[in-house]
Amino acid sequence: MKTSCTKFIICFLFSIWIGIFISSCTSSKRLILNGEREFVLLSECGSLTVRCYWAYHRVFIEHHLTGKYTLYPDSLKLGFYPDSLETRSIEYYSNKRKMPIEGVIEIEDEVIRAVYTGDFHAITKDGKRNIFILPSNYIMCNDQPLIRDTITITWR
């Protein structure tokens, strides 16, 4: 009786530990963009919807583009608050295939995922952490920059 009870308790605790371990490895947190869960921008080329997620040491910025655009991946400008937040590497993916981070890319109706790896754990006294997507020539519509105002990404 005592042995079966001990085995049951050990199996139960092990199951809880495995559940916590698996959920902590695979969970991601949705970040807020300009106070909303997603940022939508309409243009003469189509639309851009931006969503952002954070998991461990990575920030995922998804750009859902409908229409024809020109992408200049190396032109993306980011700002950070606090300054101790940093990006160590960046990779771009489209339809789960890796994209170059330099040059000019013509895209049409695609989801572009920018994956930033870095130290995003710094927190200020006021508890704020922000990444800013600054105006740039990163995504172009008819030779005009699509992002003309700063987009603020906030942890909540």
Side-chain angles (χ1 to χ4, degrees):
M1 171 89 176
K2 190 174 182 181
T3 307
S4 63
C5 184
T6 305
K7 285 182 183 179
F8 174 78
I9 291 172
I10 290 172
C11 288
F12 178 73
L13 292 174
F14 183 72
S15 298
I16 290 174
W17 180 79
I18 290 293
I20 291 171
F21 178 75
I22 290 172
S23 67
S24 67
C25 291
T26 59
S27 65
S28 65
K29 182 178 179 181
R30 188 110 180 232
L31 302 179
I32 305 300
L33 295 104
N34 287 357
E36 302 292 330
R37 292 179 62 81
E38 62 184 28
F39 177 80
V40 179
L41 185 61
L42 303 175
S43 72
E44 61 188 63
C45 294
S47 68
L48 164 67
T49 302
V50 181
R51 295 184 187 111
C52 192
Y53 304 89
W54 173 64
Y56 193 53
H57 286 290
R58 290 186 175 88
V59 171
F60 304 88
I61 301 176
E62 292 180 347
H63 306 83
H64 297 257
L65 296 154
T66 57
K68 289 181 113 175
Y69 296 92
T70 305
L71 183 70
Y72 297 87
D74 56 345
S75 294
L76 180 61
K77 295 180 184 173
L78 299 175
F80 299 95
Y81 177 80
D83 292 335
S84 58
L85 294 178
E86 63 179 40
T87 300
R88 288 189 210 112
S89 68
I90 181 170
E91 295 177 332
Y92 290 93
Y93 295 89
S94 174
N95 300 326
K96 297 186 180 182
R97 71 179 192 280
K98 195 168 181 177
M99 297 173 57
I101 60 170
E102 296 176 344
V104 179
I105 303 168
E106 299 295 329
I107 56 175
E108 184 173 358
D109 299 328
E110 291 192 48
V111 176
I112 307 297
R113 178 177 279 169
V115 180
Y116 302 91
T117 303
D119 184 8
F120 300 111
H121 294 285
I123 300 177
T124 61
K125 288 181 183 178
D126 58 7
K128 292 185 179 178
R129 285 185 284 176
N130 294 347
I131 297 176
F132 305 100
I133 301 175
L134 303 171
S136 66
N137 295 337
Y138 169 56
I139 302 173
M140 302 287 283
C141 167
N142 297 331
D143 296 324
Q144 297 296 317
L146 190 60
I147 299 173
R148 296 182 182 150
D149 294 316
T150 299
I151 300 171
T152 303
I153 300 169
T154 307
W155 274 256
R156 294 230 178 173

